[in-house]
Amino acid sequence: VALFSDQIKALSPLNTRSMTVRNAILSLNKDMVANGTLDAANLKISRGGLPAVNTFAATASVGENKITANWTAVTGSTITAKAIVVVVAVDKAANAAYVGSALNTAGTLEISGTFNAANNLDCYAYLLDFRGSAKVGSVSVHKQVTPA
C-alpha cells in the first residue's frame, strides 16, 4: 500500500480528510489486518456504490516496458461521461508501483514501467466518478499478471 498510496491521492474516492490514503486503505481492510489474513488478492483499495469494473484484464510486456489494461465500459444511470477507470500495478519484488487512468469509455490504457518477467504484478482497477467536487468510486477488483 505504501508503494502506491501517494500516487493515487488525487484518484481516491476514500475519505482521507482525517487520514492519509495509506491509512484509509488499511482502515478499509481492517478486519483482514486484524485477523492476519490480508493478502494482495483480497486487498481493497477503493470502495463505493458504483458498479465494479468486472471485465478488467491486464497484460505486462517486459520487452515493451508496458502494462496494458482493458475493460468493458461500466454503464448505468449513475455513471457520468467524466467517469474514469484507475489502474494500479504493484511489483512488490522490485518495490515499485505504476498508476494510470483513462476515461471509462476508452476501454483501455497503457502504463509505462520497467519490470522483470520473474515478478508477478498485482493489478487493481476501480471506477471513479465525480459529483461536483466529490469523488465516488467502486469497489476495486484484483488480477495477478505474469509479465511476458
Side-chain angles (χ1 to χ4, degrees):
V1 174
L3 293 175
F4 62 82
S5 59
D6 286 342
Q7 295 179 53
I8 68 167
K9 185 170 183 150
L11 300 171
S12 178
L14 300 177
N15 181 356
T16 58
R17 288 183 205 146
S18 62
M19 63 181 84
T20 64
V21 173
R22 177 187 171 277
N23 286 344
I25 292 171
L26 291 176
S27 177
L28 180 62
N29 294 278
K30 66 183 172 203
D31 291 340
M32 288 187 290
V33 171
N35 295 336
T37 58
L38 183 66
D39 64 8
N42 294 313
L43 177 71
K44 297 298 178 204
I45 65 170
S46 177
R47 71 170 174 202
L50 295 180
V53 184
N54 287 323
T55 60
F56 173 66
T59 58
S61 171
V62 173
E64 296 177 13
N65 291 324
K66 71 178 180 180
I67 299 161
T68 303
N70 297 291
W71 63 90
T72 301
V74 180
T75 59
S77 61
T78 61
I79 310 299
T80 72
K82 297 184 287 184
I84 61 173
V85 171
V86 179
V87 176
V88 177
V90 179
D91 183 345
K92 290 182 292 190
N95 204 31
Y98 311 95
V99 176
S101 63
L103 282 174
N104 171 44
T105 54
T108 189
L109 72 83
E110 290 183 354
I111 303 171
S112 296
T114 304
F115 34 85
N116 186 312
N119 301 345
N120 285 332
L121 304 175
D122 287 297
C123 295
Y124 303 88
Y126 58 90
L127 186 66
L128 182 66
D129 207 348
F130 306 89
R131 306 287 187 266
S133 62
K135 298 175 206 162
V136 182
S138 70
V139 172
S140 54
V141 295
H142 171 267
K143 299 287 182 184
Q144 189 171 68
V145 176
T146 301

